[in-house]
Amino acid sequence: MTFIGKSLAALLVALCVPALAQARQQEGEQIEVRLWTLLSGGDGARMAALIQQFNASQREVRVVSTTLKWGEPFYTKLITASVVGAGPDLATVHLSRIPNLASGGVLRPIAAPELAASGLAGRDFFPRQWQKAQYEGDLYAVPLDLHPLVLYYNKTLAGEAGLLDGAGKLKPIEGVDALTAAFRAVREQTGKAGMTMESSQSSYAIWRLWLSMLAQRNVAVIDQGRFTYGRAGEECLAQVGAWFDRGYAVPGLDYAASTAQFMGGQAGFMINGAWEVPEMVRASTAGTLGFDYGIVPLPRMYDNASAWADSHALAIPVNQRTPMSPAKARAVLGFAAFVSRNSLRWAEGGHIPAYRPVAESAQARALMPNAMYAQAAQNVVYDPDGWYLGAAGPLQAMASKFLPAALSRQLTPAEALGMFEKEAGRLIKKRPPIY
Amino acid sequence: MKPNFHSPPAGARARRENLAAAMLLAPFALVFLLFFLVPALQTLYLSLTESSLTRTSGFVGLANYATLVQDPGFWASLGNTFYFALLTVIPLTALGLVMALLVEHFTRARSWLQGAFFLPFVLPISVMTLIADWMLQPSSGIVNHLLGTQRAWLADLHWAMPMVAIGTIWWTVGFNMLMFIAGLRNIPVDLYEAAALDGARGFTLFRHITWPALRPVVGTAVLLSLIASLKIFGQTYILTTGGPFNTTRVTLHYMYETAFTQSDAGYAAAIAMAFVAIVIALSLLQGGLVRWSARKRA
């Protein structure tokens, strides 16, 4: 065939493919569900496996997934695509973003009969997650999990620092001074870093830790569009900064470098989300870890044991100009139900399943290392509700510019918070956008 | 004039020429209209409204501009943009000229040198920033290795912007070099020969022949570099995301954040319009300066 002939043939095929796809759908043979996820690494692999399992389990629906970059780029793309009707049929979102996405008109509410038809019911989910999935009385997402901030420890280093009990478990740490003392003990007894967490510019970890510390003191970060953290906010930030100042932790590490420091046995503790669990399990089974590790809920530093958490969930973008057919909605929720019922596999990602029949099963309870920090679920706090709050939302993005600078001593805690408030001032006064 | 019976009457010919000109101009005019003028006017309208990413909720007149004048974030970003231009425009011009002189001087290595100097320019921005990021890594980067330091250059209050500037100069200086090479090749050789007969050599030749002849090229290089530098976005967005704490957040980045992170398209449009006005004013000023200095010499 000549080049022109080939090009014409290719053009013809390209023109026919959408028609063919449409024809196939009309025959009722197979419905294609397009899913966008922000899941990378182990989470991405586990979701891919669940999709494969689902596609193999029946012939009516086929889920095709696309992975996009986590964080702000994902949400920006989801919002713009959904608004012009070019969004996917289903998307992973964080429950902390529901007020933003639902009030902005990005997500389509899930009606009670639709949900019931898929075999899911509200009582199957933990109340906290179920409530976070709603906005003004409507359900906008099917919760998948809960992933809190936890404390990882290296048993070799903690042991040398005298922090383990007879059974080789971490002795309870109560109060911020005890936690500081534990970091210091590791530093002084082993010469390694006491603690590690990401603290380079644009890091989100400090926001999560700061929010946890404030919640432990029963102080709200923001209330009714005004910052209310006050003196306590400065003290908490200064407290974390002191760990870096005194040399218990290395400042300026990005996410990858901070986890590498812990995995390489160079730090006694790591403050991070439960999502690092699969990597620990993998290295441990592969025998490359070089030490025994343990995980505990974030210690109680002040009045209570609050720890920041967020949840993944499956939600349906609104796609105003191309509303979803009932058949497609059934397919989408059918997949969400399948993922819920099989979320034990998802729990292997370190997450605590939101679907109670799975979460309360004997298998889930026995799942290690999840069992070590399962009780963290009782004390979790999400980002406060607000259109500008939530995972990688505008306010978190702002905080991630200024708060890390207080850990690297480029700014004092007061300066960092002052600059953060000044920048956020315009934002929190604004009306919530309708996208 | 003798009447020419083979060609159509003058009126018809003019009409035909006009038609041909219009047809030749049409594709450009259409593209200009569709992809520049219409969006520009839409942006102007948008800047007078309160709008989210896709929805307009009302005409607000000049309110966005009133906010803009009092917005420290905008002025700070403008300051950062000018700081970046200050760090890049003169080195881009001077280095481009030096490289062009080197290429023209070392005749045997000419194509090799020219290729080496121009090569970075063909890199996509993602590749250029990746290379710069690797080189500047605190613990594993070659820059720290050579200097024997552990500095986090791109997270450093004082060094972040200069490092972005150095990366940008390395990336784009090849273009200026090509302009200067073209300029150098346009200088008649007999000028040099005549001057050589009079005993001029080396720097004297440069000062009295090369430099005056290159003057217009220098003006163009400065203007193009200035416009390119003011438009900076990708380098800082990828390398520093505007940090540490906004010290490298340039105006276009601020506009992007306002539009996409905060979904305030109306205000972002006002930022865009104000910025365009500033760039045009500066370009006119710079062009005027070049013409003025040329007239003064003539």
Side-chain angles (χ1 to χ4, degrees):
Chain A
M1 218 192 288
T2 62
F3 173 72
I4 293 177
K6 271 188 203 163
S7 311
L8 280 176
L11 191 70
L12 211 64
V13 169
L15 286 172
C16 290
V17 162
L20 283 174
Q22 214 167 20
R24 213 168 51 181
Q25 200 165 316
Q26 275 165 359
E27 281 166 33
E29 243 186 43
Q30 200 173 40
I31 297 176
E32 188 177 276
V33 169
R34 288 176 310 121
L35 166 71
W36 282 5
T37 85
L38 43 57
L39 308 162
S40 60
D43 280 353
R46 256 174 297 280
M47 183 52 84
L50 279 166
I51 291 169
Q52 210 173 16
Q53 208 182 326
F54 174 76
N55 286 341
S57 74
Q58 42 73 50
R59 296 204 43 205
E60 297 81 52
V61 182
R62 201 180 122 73
V63 175
V64 182
S65 98
T66 308
T67 306
L68 300 156
K69 191 170 155 50
W70 187 95
E72 192 221 301
F74 175 82
Y75 283 108
T76 305
K77 196 169 165 76
L78 180 66
I79 290 167
T80 44
S82 168
V83 166
V84 300
D89 303 312
L90 191 63
T92 56
V93 297
H94 289 95
L95 284 186
S96 62
R97 281 296 285 255
I98 294 292
N100 169 281
L101 299 172
S103 76
V106 177
L107 300 181
R108 167 191 180 282
I110 300 168
E114 286 178 325
L115 186 76
S118 72
L120 293 175
R123 61 177 181 282
D124 290 341
F125 294 87
F126 287 110
R128 187 87 180 89
Q129 278 75 58
W130 192 245
Q131 171 234 327
K132 290 296 291 183
Q134 330 233 345
Y135 180 77
E136 294 189 342
D138 286 323
L139 179 71
Y140 281 93
V142 176
L144 212 54
D145 63 36
L146 174 76
H147 45 263
L149 205 59
V150 292
L151 185 68
Y152 297 77
Y153 62 99
N154 174 324
K155 288 193 177 178
T156 310
L157 298 178
E160 283 173 40
L163 300 169
L164 300 185
D165 63 16
K169 279 192 186 160
L170 191 67
K171 290 185 211 161
I173 296 175
E174 292 281 322
V176 73
D177 294 334
L179 187 61
T180 306
F183 296 157
R184 184 177 56 230
V186 172
R187 179 83 190 109
E188 285 173 359
Q189 301 302 315
T190 69
K192 303 286 167 65
M195 184 276 283
T196 190
M197 65 183 262
E198 62 157 351
S199 62
S200 63
Q201 54 178 329
S202 319
S203 292
Y204 284 108
I206 180 62
W207 168 260
R208 297 166 183 152
L209 180 59
W210 189 63
L211 208 71
S212 309
M213 292 168 100
L214 284 168
Q216 292 197 353
R217 298 174 71 160
N218 300 304
V219 174
V221 172
I222 194 163
D223 190 32
Q224 316 239 332
R226 282 184 43 191
F227 287 107
T228 49
Y229 56 78
R231 188 92 201 106
E234 218 172 289
E235 282 166 15
C236 291
L237 196 54
Q239 177 60 62
V240 180
W243 297 335
F244 289 89
D245 276 356
R246 295 180 203 156
Y248 307 159
V250 179
L253 299 180
D254 63 15
Y255 188 89
S258 73
T259 52
Q261 190 187 29
F262 183 73
M263 302 279 292
Q266 300 299 309
F269 292 89
M270 172 169 77
I271 296 179
N272 205 336
W275 52 81
E276 270 307 316
V277 161
E279 197 47 32
M280 304 295 309
V281 173
R282 189 197 59 74
S284 192
T285 5
T288 55
L289 194 57
F291 60 87
D292 267 350
Y293 70 95
I295 307 173
V296 290
L298 191 69
R300 183 187 67 77
M301 288 172 261
Y302 301 100
D303 303 336
N304 62 64
S306 293
W308 169 92
D310 208 331
S311 296
H312 293 118
L314 290 168
I316 306 174
V318 92
N319 290 322
Q320 279 155 345
R321 294 179 200 172
T322 50
M324 185 173 273
S325 69
K328 178 67 86 66
R330 259 197 310 279
V332 161
L333 287 169
F335 173 68
F338 178 88
V339 173
S340 296
R341 283 194 298 272
N342 291 281
S343 54
L344 186 64
R345 180 133 202 196
W346 190 245
E348 286 164 10
H351 310 295
I352 299 165
Y355 188 66
R356 285 169 75 169
V358 169
E360 289 167 352
S361 68
Q363 287 154 295
R365 280 169 202 254
L367 188 65
M368 283 303 257
N370 300 39
M372 297 187 205
Y373 57 86
Q375 78 192 79
Q378 291 156 18
N379 298 302
V380 297
V381 286
Y382 287 81
D383 263 31
D385 285 346
W387 74 266
Y388 41 77
L389 283 146
L395 201 77
Q396 272 197 12
M398 278 177 192
S400 78
K401 289 180 192 179
F402 301 107
L403 303 196
L407 308 185
S408 62
R409 295 193 89 172
Q410 296 212 61
L411 296 175
T412 66
E415 280 169 346
L417 290 170
M419 288 168 87
F420 166 57
E421 269 198 41
K422 199 166 154 196
E423 170 123 342
R426 220 177 62 78
L427 188 72
I428 63 179
K429 277 195 223 91
K430 269 180 48 185
R431 277 190 288 165
I434 308 289
Y435 297 109
Chain B
M1 205 171 106
K2 209 171 82 179
N4 181 349
F5 297 107
H6 293 291
S7 50
R13 195 170 57 198
R15 234 176 293 133
R16 227 172 52 188
E17 275 175 8
N18 282 346
L19 187 72
M23 275 167 64
L24 286 171
L25 279 175
F28 170 78
L30 197 72
V31 169
F32 180 80
L33 196 77
L34 270 182
F35 296 103
F36 182 79
L37 204 59
V38 170
L41 290 175
Q42 277 179 335
T43 309
L44 180 63
Y45 172 73
L46 200 62
S47 74
L48 304 174
T49 65
E50 190 186 319
S51 298
S52 72
L53 272 179
T54 54
R55 211 178 283 244
T56 297
S57 53
F59 190 80
V60 294
L62 294 174
N64 284 328
Y65 292 94
T67 314
L68 189 70
V69 177
Q70 298 169 25
D71 180 0
F74 171 72
W75 293 111
S77 76
L78 205 58
N80 293 336
T81 310
F82 283 118
Y83 179 45
F84 176 77
L86 192 75
L87 289 173
T88 48
V89 173
I90 292 168
L92 272 176
T93 314
L95 267 179
L97 178 57
V98 169
M99 285 176 172
L101 289 171
L102 286 177
V103 167
E104 290 299 278
H105 183 75
F106 295 103
T107 36
R108 278 162 126 205
R110 176 181 287 172
S111 56
W112 190 87
L113 270 179
Q114 192 171 330
F117 288 155
F118 189 69
L119 210 57
F121 190 74
V122 304
L123 294 179
I125 190 163
S126 46
V127 176
M128 170 265 171
T129 46
L130 208 58
I131 294 172
D133 195 43
W134 282 338
M135 291 177 69
L136 294 170
Q137 278 299 310
S139 49
S140 55
I142 190 167
V143 174
N144 277 322
H145 182 74
L146 292 176
L147 296 175
T149 51
Q150 284 269 315
R151 198 180 282 279
W153 298 97
L154 294 170
D156 188 290
L157 177 58
H158 303 291
W159 282 107
M161 193 62 108
M163 285 299 154
V164 173
I166 289 172
T168 307
I169 292 168
W170 170 76
W171 182 39
T172 57
V173 71
F175 179 76
N176 281 359
M177 175 194 73
L178 280 195
M179 275 205 308
F180 282 120
I181 288 177
L184 285 173
R185 290 187 186 162
N186 269 337
I187 303 174
V189 188
D190 13 336
L191 280 182
Y192 289 103
E193 283 166 358
L197 282 179
D198 291 339
R201 49 176 55 210
F203 187 68
T204 319
L205 283 177
F206 176 80
R207 211 185 121 196
H208 292 287
I209 298 175
T210 316
W211 180 248
L214 275 185
R215 204 166 253 289
V217 186
V218 172
T220 313
V222 168
L223 185 63
L224 291 182
S225 303
L226 180 71
I227 293 175
S229 292
L230 292 177
K231 285 198 307 191
I232 179 185
F233 172 68
Q235 295 97 301
T236 51
Y237 179 72
I238 302 172
L239 281 174
T240 64
T241 52
F245 42 93
N246 290 344
T247 46
T248 61
R249 184 173 66 178
V250 291
T251 306
L252 290 187
H253 189 165
Y254 187 53
M255 183 187 83
Y256 166 84
E257 274 188 2
T258 307
F260 291 98
T261 317
Q262 300 163 26
S263 190
D264 194 345
Y267 190 58
I271 296 172
M273 294 316 294
F275 190 58
V276 166
I278 291 168
V279 173
I280 290 177
L282 271 177
S283 308
L284 290 177
L285 188 73
Q286 209 271 336
L289 273 181
V290 169
R291 273 194 300 279
W292 175 74
S293 76
R295 214 175 311 135
K296 214 177 68 171
R297 313 207 122 238

